[in-house]
Amino acid sequence: MKRAVLAGLRVIEFSAFVAAPLAGLTLAQLGAEVIRIDPPGGNIDFGRLPLNAAGRSLYWGCLNRGKRSVEIDLRNAAGRALLQDLICASGAGPAIFLTNLTLDAELSWEALSGRRPDLIMVQLTGSPDGSNAVDYTVNSAVGFPDLTGDARSVPVNHVLPAWDVAAGLTLTTALLAAERHWRATGQGQHVSLALSDVAMSTVCNLGYLADMQVNGAERQADGNFLYGAYGDAFATADGRRVMVVAITQRQWSALAKATEVSESLPAAAAALGYRLDTEAGRYQARELISAFLRPWFLRRRLDEVAAALADRSILWGPYRTMRQMLQEDPRCSEANPMFSMTDHPGLGRFLTSRSPLRFADFALPGPGLAPILGQDTAQVLREILGFDDERLRQAAAAGAIPAIGAIGAIGAIGASAVAQA
């Protein structure tokens, strides 16, 4: 039987919101044991929208699928000591701690690495100076909202938390790089990452900064046009919209042929001084090209557009609502082996994804269930720290964990959920 690629890797995650939980989810989807720590009643993201009819957060449940859920109260010394014990417990690999939250001194790198010199601690902050930032404040600061919409628009925020997603995947890379270093040397590592640095390094890597500093250029909002090549959105006869892109010469030639402008458009472009044989030339001629293509799309229904643009050289796709995606796109269905319909206890039944990665020689875990908050508290403390019933009662009496009755009830729900999986 094939093993999961990250089997044997244990990660203690103390986090909230998107980036760090996504990093933990990514690791869990590759077979790591990820233990999510929350205070009693859940962390600041536990009730975030959207909610199901029972008031449970679909957001929290989806980002924490496949993780073990433990409740520890870090407001008191007993809880902080307990989490320190969990992080520093012996195991097959290094101690690994993933967080994006403000920590007390007992949970600092200095304190934890003093107990476990091989500790890998991966920590996300807002800005390099330690000040707070979230995806939406970082995105506004790097200028992308000014490029969204058209020249007549005020800045427009996007709804995808792109920098949180990028930061989450960067945290995963950092953790695995540090674990590789541990394998080679036995040494731990403190890795820090600022959310704002993720965004600003990306702006640098994509040439935006160089364009301004070398060329003195200030990019403008350009609607649905694709910067630097040809791409635009078009309405169809049945009220749908599609996005069409042509970057290479082959893609452009196939698009021009399919939309029946191969003969008429080049003459008009030449008369106006445009070249259509380069990406930059087609970008400069974008208004003219769209004026020629727009009537072709308006005369055809979406299904007719799909049939006419069947050449694999042509890049195009329909605009869809998320409901339409679920109804129309086989890539977002059980036809795609990444997905399966899964019953998540207390949350609902919905399409749930495994890791999008595919390995030839490793198995991947199933999609993972959304945990019940605190369901694994007792079991994790028994397995990792050797707690018996008396030590569990003592921890509860000290205020480190919820009362034993609550742990037992939640643990039973969790065990039932695992059995159903």
Side-chain angles (χ1 to χ4, degrees), residues 141-152:
V142 297
F144 279 98
D146 277 317
L147 305 181
T148 305
D150 58 35
R152 297 165 295 179

Side-chain angles (χ1 to χ4, degrees), residues 176-334:
L176 295 177
E179 197 267 349
R180 186 175 188 273
H181 176 72
W182 170 85
R183 286 181 179 273
T185 66
Q187 297 174 353
Q189 192 75 229
H190 184 202
V191 186
S192 60
L193 174 70
L195 181 67
S196 64
D197 282 349
V198 172
M200 293 184 182
S201 67
T202 301
V203 173
C204 175
N205 296 341
L206 294 177
Y208 287 74
L209 298 184
D211 189 29
M212 286 182 286
Q213 293 183 310
V214 173
N215 298 325
E218 183 75 47
R219 191 171 299 182
Q220 301 297 313
D222 213 3
N224 286 319
F225 286 121
L226 172 66
Y227 175 78
Y230 180 71
D232 199 6
F234 297 96
T236 64
D238 52 353
R240 296 292 295 271
R241 293 185 68 82
V242 300
M243 182 68 190
V244 179
V245 173
I247 299 174
T248 68
Q249 184 60 40
R250 180 183 177 187
Q251 292 165 358
W252 167 248
S253 297
L255 176 63
K257 180 180 178 181
T259 54
E260 303 169 1
V261 298
S262 296
E263 297 182 5
S264 56
L265 178 57
L272 294 172
Y274 292 124
R275 294 186 58 178
L276 302 181
D277 58 349
T278 67
E279 291 179 46
R282 291 189 288 272
Y283 177 67
Q284 292 168 354
R286 60 193 180 278
E287 297 278 5
L288 176 66
I289 295 171
S290 290
F292 269 73
L293 296 186
R294 198 169 293 118
W296 186 91
F297 285 95
L298 282 172
R299 291 193 300 268
R300 290 164 175 81
R301 302 185 309 272
L302 179 60
D303 61 333
E304 294 172 320
V305 169
L309 303 186
D311 185 329
R312 287 182 175 269
S313 298
I314 301 174
L315 301 177
W316 80 280
Y319 282 85
R320 290 178 174 138
T321 64
M322 291 187 183
R323 184 179 300 278
Q324 288 171 330
M325 177 180 67
L326 281 169
Q327 293 170 339
E328 299 174 358
D329 197 329
R331 296 172 297 183
C332 191
S333 74
E334 289 186 285

Side-chain angles (χ1 to χ4, degrees), residues 162-177:
W163 306 123
D164 278 340
V165 172
L169 299 179
T170 304
L171 289 171
T172 305
T173 302
L175 190 151
L176 295 177

Side-chain angles (χ1 to χ4, degrees), residues 68 375-384 392 407 411 415 418:
R68 307 179 78 182
Q375 68 180 33
D376 303 296
T377 303
Q379 188 175 357
V380 164
L381 295 180
R382 290 180 192 276
E383 290 178 9
I384 298 177
L392 288 172
I407 293 175
V418 171

